[in-house]
């Protein structure tokens, strides 16, 4: 079962190009959300356009939902070293609609504070599963598909669900979706053999890598932290992130049978 994003790859490429042009065009950029996407995007924008002002809005601070080590304080310290970064500890009442952005807008927070921004981007990662066509009994109140530990859907032993749409406690990442696919493929074989000893899903290990621009990063690998802006740990994190991205991107280019020149 795959009930993920309803938009095709070409549409996503067009959106990517549109957002790139918007970022190039505007001088004051505000990102809604303090998660990994916001932190990485803000850092990349700063590296490419150091003169631009970047605001990050998050009521819980940077990486507030990431529980590994000292990620939150380290990320905030990195941001505060750059005068063009502003962290706004507020929840935005102004939310972009379907486009995901607003231009030349006065942003209002829940406490009544207002400020102007050239570009407002929603990078909060509000995931809305594309599960409307399913039986309501198969999804929870947030639209995610109910699965058991073997990723079977409801009482249907021969139907499986994985990836972002599955109601699993893991982070919604490509690596976790890939592990789901492996488990499901093995369990389909076992079901076909009438076996009841199916493989169970396990949360991914405590590993996380966050880039802070091109030459800095944070990483947490099996209990060890590698952080900073100029030390070896930071450079290691940056290098590791680049390698992971290259491997992942190459894998999906191959899966999609697309040429890299299309981006």
């Amino acid at each position: 079962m795959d009930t993920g994003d309803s938009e095709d790859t070409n549409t996503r490429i067009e959106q990517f190009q549109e957002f790139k042009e918007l970022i190039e065009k505007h001088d004051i950029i505000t990102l809604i959300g303090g998660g990994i996407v916001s932190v990485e995007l803000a850092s990349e924008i700063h590296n490419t356009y150091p003169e631009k002002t970047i605001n990050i809005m998050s009521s819980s601070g940077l990486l507030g939902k990431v529980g590994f080590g000292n990620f939150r304080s380290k990320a905030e310290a990195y941001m505060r070293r750059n005068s063009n970064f502003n962290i706004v500890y507020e929840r935005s009442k102004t939310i972009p609609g379907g486009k995901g952005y607003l231009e030349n807008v006065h942003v209002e927070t829940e406490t009544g504070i207002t400020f102007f921004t050239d570009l407002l981007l929603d990078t909060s990662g509000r995931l809305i599963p594309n599960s409307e066509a399913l039986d309501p009994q198969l999804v929870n109140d947030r639209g995610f598909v109910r699965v058991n530990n073997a990723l079977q859907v409801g009482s249907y032993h021969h139907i499986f669900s994985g990836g972002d749409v599955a109601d699993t406690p893991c982070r919604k990442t490509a690596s976790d979706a890939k592990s789901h696919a492996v488990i499901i493929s093995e369990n389909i074989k076992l079901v076909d053999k009438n076996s009841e000893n199916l493989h169970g899903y396990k949360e991914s290990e405590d590993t996380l890598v966050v880039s802070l621009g091109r030459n800095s990063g944070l990483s947490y690998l099996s209990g060890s932290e590698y952080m900073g802006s100029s030390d070896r740990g930071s450079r290691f994190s940056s290098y590791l992130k680049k390698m992971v991205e290259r491997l992942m991107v190459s894998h999906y280019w191959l899966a999609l049978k697309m040429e890299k020149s299309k981006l």
Side-chain angles (χ1 to χ4, degrees), residues 12-228:
R12 281 301 188 190
I13 292 174
E14 292 172 2
Q15 291 175 337
F16 174 85
Q17 185 62 39
E18 180 183 15
F19 275 71
K20 179 176 179 291
E21 293 171 357
L22 286 168
I23 291 170
E24 291 174 345
K25 172 183 174 183
H26 293 297
D27 294 324
I28 305 174
I29 301 169
T30 301
L31 309 179
I32 298 177
I36 295 173
V37 171
S38 296
V39 170
E40 291 194 337
L41 178 59
S43 302
E44 288 291 340
I45 294 173
H46 177 70
N47 267 192
T48 308
Y49 310 103
E51 73 284 356
K52 294 184 185 292
T53 298
I54 305 169
N55 304 314
I56 298 180
M57 297 186 68
S58 176
S59 59
S60 59
L62 297 185
L63 302 174
K65 294 182 180 180
V66 176
F68 303 129
N70 297 312
F71 258 52
R72 181 173 180 172
S73 61
K74 293 290 185 179
E76 291 187 0
Y78 169 82
M79 295 294 183
R80 294 191 182 283
R81 280 197 292 269
N82 301 285
S83 60
N84 287 351
F85 275 126
N86 297 305
I87 304 172
V88 182
Y89 295 98
E90 296 276 350
R91 189 182 301 275
S92 178
K93 288 181 64 177
T94 309
I95 304 295
K99 295 188 300 183
Y101 68 86
L102 291 172
E103 297 181 85
N104 303 315
V105 62
H106 283 89
V107 181
E108 181 181 1
T109 73
E110 288 190 345
T111 61
I113 297 173
T114 61
F115 63 91
F116 177 80
T117 187
D118 295 330
L119 178 64
L120 180 67
L121 293 174
D122 187 354
T123 54
S124 61
R126 275 180 267 268
L127 181 62
I128 303 176
N130 182 27
S131 58
E132 295 86 354
L134 299 179
D135 184 335
Q137 294 184 353
L138 298 179
V139 299
N140 63 17
D141 56 357
R142 295 178 297 132
F144 292 95
V145 179
R146 301 179 190 275
V147 294
N148 61 19
N149 187 249
L151 299 176
Q152 292 169 302
V153 177
S155 60
Y156 299 96
H157 74 283
H158 60 293
I159 300 178
F160 298 82
S161 177
D164 290 355
V165 77
D167 184 25
T168 58
C170 68
R171 302 188 302 272
K172 304 299 185 182
T173 64
S175 59
D176 278 297
K178 184 177 180 180
S179 69
H180 293 178
V182 173
I183 293 170
I184 290 172
S185 63
E186 292 299 320
N187 283 345
I188 289 174
K189 296 176 185 176
L190 292 172
V191 168
D192 190 51
K193 296 177 181 177
N194 295 319
S195 173
E196 296 182 356
N197 297 319
L198 303 186
H199 298 291
Y201 169 76
K202 296 180 181 179
E203 289 192 57
S204 57
E205 295 181 0
D206 290 349
T207 299
L208 188 64
V209 184
V210 178
S211 65
L212 297 174
R214 295 186 182 88
N215 300 307
S216 186
L218 311 175
S219 63
Y220 187 90
L221 308 174
S222 300
S224 298
E225 300 175 14
Y226 301 92
M227 304 180 178

